[in-house]
């Protein structure tokens, strides 16, 4: 490893490290605009100039490999003048938009011009102006501010895998564009705004609404999919104003999906903020006491086998634990958290987790995707696969629908029968050092889902994907609540009904009372004449069918526990309070239990979480992946010839919060081919 001296300090760096990295290792601060540690090196901005002894001129440290024996200076008069000159060039055409620019207060150009620039310019020529480009409803452009760092171009190609940004023209005529000025189609497109070091790219939905220093910042966890992206929720008063990514190398690195970022306007639309009771076919607002009394009156005299509960995709772990315990006290085993009917074996944790872990994807050299479209179901996980594919030496096979995954793959078949004969790809898996198999919900929600799961597990074992030190069998979930529900045992026990049995029972009168905990993705017409209680946040499908509505808290409005697809327990934190009379979900169930005469044995979050660790001890291990144990040998069944289908038909409208979002509606219309210009 090379050793070099930076400002009199000797440092040793990895082979292949750049001078910029070596300088930072020595504690020297190096300004930069084009360089980003997750992107390829461009060397465009020249802001990172340093002085290297025996070099005839200053060196761009981001593009120069560190070599043994180098002597580097970062604070000499030559370096100071070089950086001032570069900054003067960068500001030649930059407009004085800082008072109205949404990047103000978070702008790299502002910060670095203060630290490394001068107080004036020698240039008197007219400033260059560039026409703004249309990039869709999410990314707002003011291209006159662009300094041509090309971070956005490199991100779209290297991380998102959708190379639809580029540069046209040369010199003063160079412009960043989408070529034909169509909307960005990547599910990760808005990350280019985080990368933009100036105000050329900003957030369209956030434009002119707030300044960064006005916002209260809360670290939390995303619930829009099962990846569990780490986020920062910025709020002003009682309103969420924006959502930004938070660094977590093991989960989302520093990216988030567009749905995660912009769903916040759905948090204030179509909200349930008071209890409702249906009388004479119409809903009327009620007090909590009236709503609880109506529920208690309907439950009176009902036996446990005639009541049921379904937990939806946005239910937190605490609320599912409270509802499970309440139903146990009521004598009912008819509970299920798999509202899509996924055939998952809750008794064997390894059979429903992404055992390799998200970060572990980077160690795989062969991946078989079964019944999943990860670009729609988990864009950040798909970006990990692309990241691994760009390094080379990875083969990807797909059994399922053909789709644009942003990387090359071998299409091996459309349905489960293809699993019996993978052809040459079977040898690829067997010869791989770290083979991976990923089973999606599109393969598990079918009638033969249990047989597909058993076949996939048997295949994983046969190709040596499961061994000491490596578990290559993975289930990719689409619901933030699913793994926590399975961990806590929110599934029917002996004699209980699963989701299909509950719906069948409600349709034929065998089930008379159904409690929907944020469950909106079921066929409400199959609930028949059952008395339905809906506890949730939005006036979506569940609320339209309900006889009693209990307003709950959204994921940004409560302290809650979430478990992602790899089994990582993470804590979400409240950034704002629920609107109106809405309350945190577990407190609603605790209050209801007292009215029903089965008071739950916890009065605060601490004791509730302690009870959760009794059911599942790994809930005590926050932000860690606990080994799930051995994969079971499940009985093989008959496979259907029908092709797999992805459960995510529209990436932007997958849950009640997203469906209440005007921004998500514009994105959905844009990607369906109907161009909707966002309001200025």
């Amino acid at each position: 490893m090379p050793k070099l001296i930076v400002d009199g300090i000797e440092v040793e760096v990895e082979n292949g490290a750049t001078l910029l990295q070596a300088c930072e290792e020595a504690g020297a601060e190096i300004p930069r605009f084009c360089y980003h540690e997750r992107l390829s090196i461009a060397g465009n901005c020249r802001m990172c100039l340093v002085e290297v002894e025996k070099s005839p001129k200053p060196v761009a440290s981001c593009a120069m490999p560190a070599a043994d024996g180098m002597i580097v200076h970062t604070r000499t008069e030559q370096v100071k003048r070089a950086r001032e000159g570069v900054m003067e060039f960068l500001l030649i055409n930059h407009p004085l938009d800082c008072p109205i620019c949404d990047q103000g207060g978070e702008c790299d150009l502002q910060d670095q011009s203060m630290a490394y620039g001068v107080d004036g310019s020698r240039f008197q020529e007219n400033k260059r102006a560039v026409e703004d480009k249309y990039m869709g409803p999410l990314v707002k452009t003011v291209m006159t501010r662009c300094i041509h760092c090309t971070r956005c171009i490199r991100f779209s190609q290297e991380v998102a895998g959708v190379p639809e940004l580029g540069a046209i023209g040369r010199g003063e005529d160079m412009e960043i564009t989408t070529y034909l000025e169509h909307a960005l189609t990547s599910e990760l497109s808005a990350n280019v705004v985080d990368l933009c070091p100036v105000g050329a790219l900003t957030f369209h939905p956030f434009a002119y609404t707030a300044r960064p220093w006005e916002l209260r910042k809360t670290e939390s966890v995303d619930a829009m999919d099962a990846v569990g992206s780490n986020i920062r929720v910025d709020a002003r008063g009682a309103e969420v104003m924006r959502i930004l990514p938070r660094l977590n190398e093991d989960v989302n690195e520093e990216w988030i999906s567009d749905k995660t970022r912009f769903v916040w306007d759905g948090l204030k639309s179509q909200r349930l903020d008071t209890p409702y009771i249906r009388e004479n076919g119409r809903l009327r607002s009620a007090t909590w006491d009236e709503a609880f009394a109506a529920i208690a009156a309907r439950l009176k005299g009902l036996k446990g086998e005639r009541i049921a509960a379904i937990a939806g995709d946005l239910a937190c772990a605490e609320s599912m634990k409270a509802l499970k315990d309440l139903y146990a006290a009521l004598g009912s085993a008819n509970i299920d958290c798999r509202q899509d009917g996924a055939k998952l074996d809750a008794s064997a944790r390894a059979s429903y987790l992404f055992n390799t872990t998200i970060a572990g994807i980077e160690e795989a050299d062969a991946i078989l995707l079964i019944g999943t479209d990860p670009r729609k179901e988990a864009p950040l996980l798909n970006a990990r696969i692309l990241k691994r594919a760009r390094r080379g030496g990875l083969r990807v096979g797909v059994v399922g629908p053909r789709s644009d995954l942003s990387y090359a793959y071998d299409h091996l078949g459309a349905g489960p029968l293809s699993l019996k004969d993978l052809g040459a790809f079977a040898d690829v898996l067997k010869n791989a050092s770290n083979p991976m198999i990923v089973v999606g919900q599109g393969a598990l929600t079918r009638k033969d889902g249990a047989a597909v799961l058993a076949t996939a597990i048997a295949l994983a074992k046969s190709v040596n994907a499961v061994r000491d030190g490596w578990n290559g069998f993975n289930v990719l979930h689409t619901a933030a609540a699913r793994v926590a529900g399975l961990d806590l045992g929110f599934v029917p026990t002996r004699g209980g009904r699963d989701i299909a049995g509950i719906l069948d029972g409600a349709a034929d009168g065998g089930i008379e009372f159904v409690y929907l905990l944020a469950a909106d993705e079921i066929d409400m017409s199959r609930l028949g004449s059952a008395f339905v209680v809906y506890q949730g946040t939005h006036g979506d499908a569940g609320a339209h069918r309900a006889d009693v509505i209990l307003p709950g808290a959204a994921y940004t409005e409560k302290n809650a526990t979430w478990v992602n697809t790899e089994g990582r327990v993470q804590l979400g934190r409240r950034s704002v309070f629920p609107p109106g009379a809405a309350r945190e979900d577990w407190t609603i169930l605790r209050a209801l239990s007292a009215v029903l005469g089965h008071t739950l044995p916890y009065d605060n979050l601490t004791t509730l979480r302690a009870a959760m660790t009794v059911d599942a001890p790994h809930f005590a291990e926050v932000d860690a992946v606990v080994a799930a144990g051995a994969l079971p040998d499940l009985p093989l069944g008959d496979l259907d010839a029908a092709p797999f289908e992805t459960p995510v038909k529209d990436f932007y409208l997958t849950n009640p919060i997203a469906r209440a979002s005007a921004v998500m509606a514009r994105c959905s219309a844009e990607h369906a081919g109907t161009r909707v210009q966002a309001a200025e």
Side-chain angles (χ1 to χ4, degrees):
M1 296 193 297
K3 292 182 180 180
L4 60 162
I5 297 175
V6 179
D7 293 337
I9 301 172
E10 184 178 78
V11 294
E12 185 175 10
V13 295
E14 301 272 342
N15 290 323
T18 63
L19 270 186
L20 188 149
Q21 292 169 316
C23 292
E24 291 190 332
E25 187 72 22
E29 182 178 341
I30 306 296
R32 83 292 298 266
F33 291 113
C34 69
Y35 175 80
H36 192 278
E37 55 269 18
R38 299 189 195 279
L39 304 177
S40 60
I41 294 170
N44 293 338
C45 71
R46 320 307 285 181
M47 195 65 203
C48 63
L49 293 174
V50 297
E51 183 180 343
V52 180
E53 290 192 5
K54 299 182 181 180
S55 174
K57 59 182 180 180
V59 170
S61 60
C62 72
M64 174 66 73
D68 200 51
M70 275 184 169
I71 301 176
V72 183
H73 303 284
T74 68
R75 293 194 289 266
T76 63
E77 185 62 26
Q78 183 189 37
V79 172
K80 180 176 181 293
R81 289 199 312 272
R83 291 174 179 171
E84 288 174 351
V86 169
M87 182 61 70
E88 191 174 357
F89 274 119
L90 289 174
L91 293 175
I92 290 174
N93 293 306
H94 198 80
L96 295 175
D97 282 349
C98 298
I100 62 162
C101 178
D102 276 312
Q103 197 83 335
E106 298 175 319
C107 178
D108 291 347
L109 188 62
Q110 278 185 333
D111 296 340
Q112 293 186 40
S113 63
M114 285 291 293
Y116 303 102
V118 292
D119 61 354
S121 173
R122 291 168 286 179
F123 292 93
Q124 303 297 324
E125 289 79 11
N126 292 331
K127 289 184 179 290
R128 163 183 180 258
V130 181
E131 184 179 352
D132 295 340
K133 306 296 188 293
Y134 179 76
M135 293 189 183
L138 303 181
V139 179
K140 178 181 174 64
T141 63
V142 185
M143 300 311 292
T144 301
R145 302 171 185 162
C146 179
I147 62 171
H148 300 163
C149 71
T150 69
R151 282 185 178 182
C152 55
I153 297 174
R154 285 174 282 150
F155 172 85
S156 65
Q157 180 167 352
E158 298 167 13
V159 178
V162 185
E164 51 195 0
L165 279 174
I168 59 173
R170 298 181 65 188
E172 191 178 36
D173 296 325
M174 179 178 171
E175 297 182 21
I176 307 297
T177 179
T178 56
Y179 303 113
L180 300 178
E181 293 200 35
H182 59 73
L184 300 176
T185 60
S186 168
E187 293 79 11
L188 304 173
S189 65
N191 287 285
V192 299
V193 178
D194 290 335
L195 290 171
C196 185
V198 295
L201 305 177
T202 56
F203 300 124
H204 222 313
F206 182 67
Y208 310 125
T209 58
R211 285 299 195 180
W213 54 85
E214 300 174 337
L215 304 178
R216 184 178 64 256
K217 301 165 179 63
T218 306
E219 294 185 348
S220 191
V221 178
D222 174 51
M224 291 299 104
D225 57 27
V227 171
S229 299
N230 286 216
I231 58 174
R232 192 189 84 194
V233 181
D234 289 358
R236 183 176 61 187
E239 185 177 348
V240 173
M241 301 299 293
R242 67 177 180 179
I243 295 174
L244 297 176
R246 184 161 54 91
L247 181 67
N248 189 318
E249 296 288 357
D250 293 329
V251 182
N252 58 303
E253 297 182 299
E254 60 183 83
W255 322 117
I256 53 175
S257 73
D258 292 345
K259 181 167 58 178
T260 296
R261 189 186 296 270
F262 291 112
V263 79
W264 50 263
D265 72 315
L267 293 168
K268 55 187 177 183
S269 300
Q270 302 180 25
R271 286 302 301 270
L272 301 173
D273 58 1
T274 188
Y276 288 90
I277 297 176
R278 189 177 298 277
E279 292 180 350
N280 301 319
R282 298 177 65 88
L283 289 170
R284 70 165 179 87
S285 59
T287 64
W288 281 103
D289 289 339
E290 288 177 319
F292 287 161
I295 295 171
R298 188 65 184 84
L299 279 173
K300 188 175 182 180
L302 279 183
K303 295 182 179 179
E305 61 265 22
R306 303 191 66 83
I307 65 175
I310 302 170
D313 294 348
L314 297 179
C316 63
E318 287 82 358
S319 61
M320 287 188 284
K321 168 63 176 171
L323 185 55
K324 174 196 168 188
D325 289 353
L326 176 58
Y327 262 63
L330 294 172
S332 176
N334 303 326
I335 60 174
D336 204 342
C337 65
R338 303 162 296 185
Q339 66 170 346
D340 56 6
K343 309 300 189 297
L344 293 163
D345 182 7
S347 64
R349 194 164 186 255
S351 70
Y352 62 80
L353 290 186
F354 202 93
N355 296 288
T356 305
T357 73
I358 296 171
I361 292 172
E362 298 186 30
E363 306 300 320
D365 50 359
I367 300 176
L368 176 63
L369 303 175
I370 302 174
T372 180
D373 181 350
R375 181 173 166 183
K376 288 183 179 178
E377 298 169 24
L380 290 162
L381 187 142
N382 194 63
R384 269 308 169 150
I385 299 177
L386 173 62
K387 180 181 179 181
R388 174 63 188 88
R390 285 180 56 82
R391 284 198 349 241
L394 175 70
R395 289 283 300 277
V396 179
V398 171
V399 177
R402 292 181 183 270
S403 57
D404 180 7
L405 297 179
S406 73
Y407 43 82
Y409 62 85
D410 299 321
H411 190 256
L412 308 174
L417 295 182
S418 301
L419 296 175
K420 295 182 176 180
D421 183 13
L422 296 175
F425 200 83
D427 294 328
V428 172
L429 290 171
K430 290 177 182 177
N431 296 329
S433 300
N434 293 320
M436 266 181 61
I437 292 176
V438 181
V439 184
Q441 299 305 297
L444 300 175
T445 55
R446 302 154 45 104
K447 290 182 179 179
D448 63 344
V452 174
L453 179 64
T455 302
I457 291 176
L459 177 62
K461 292 180 177 180
S462 69
V463 298
N464 200 31
V466 181
R467 61 178 189 275
D468 289 341
W470 179 260
N471 188 339
F473 176 80
N474 304 286
V475 172
L476 177 57
H477 292 275
T478 57
R482 186 63 49 81
V483 175
L486 296 170
D487 284 348
L488 292 170
F490 201 94
V491 290
T493 54
R494 184 181 299 275
R497 294 176 182 254
D498 62 6
I499 182 69
I502 291 171
L503 295 178
D504 289 342
D508 63 23
I511 297 290
E512 300 181 38
F513 180 98
V514 179
Y515 199 110
L516 301 180
L517 179 62
D520 291 273
E521 316 305 325
I522 62 174
D523 184 356
M524 298 297 170
S525 65
R526 296 187 60 198
L527 292 175
S529 60
F531 187 90
V532 176
V533 176
Y534 176 77
Q535 179 178 329
T537 60
H538 285 71
D540 206 77
H544 283 287
R545 172 59 184 83
D547 296 288
V548 174
I549 296 174
L550 306 178
Y555 69 106
T556 57
E557 299 162 358
K558 58 185 175 182
N559 294 307
T561 303
W562 307 91
V563 186
N564 74 349
T565 190
E566 59 184 352
R568 184 185 301 272
V569 176
Q570 301 186 105
L571 299 181
R573 294 178 176 85
R574 181 176 59 210
S575 60
V576 295
F577 286 93
R583 294 293 181 267
E584 292 193 24
D585 293 278
W586 78 267
T587 63
I588 296 173
L589 291 158
R590 170 62 177 76
L592 176 60
S593 70
V595 174
L596 297 179
H598 298 282
T599 305
L600 295 174
Y602 24 79
D603 296 324
N604 55 56
L605 209 53
T606 302
T607 54
L608 172 54
R609 286 176 173 169
M612 288 162 52
T613 62
V614 174
D615 287 356
H618 62 269
F619 272 91
E621 304 291 333
V622 177
D623 199 26
V625 177
V626 178
L631 272 175
D633 291 316
L634 300 178
L636 298 176
D638 295 330
L639 297 174
D640 195 332
F644 292 129
E645 295 182 8
T646 176
V648 178
K649 303 301 182 186
D650 189 331
F651 168 75
Y652 299 99
L653 303 175
T654 55
N655 59 60
I657 301 176
R659 288 191 287 269
S661 166
V663 176
M664 292 297 100
R666 285 198 293 269
C667 290
S668 177
E670 182 75 60
H671 288 266
T674 305
R675 179 163 169 167
V676 180
Q677 183 75 49
E680 293 292 340

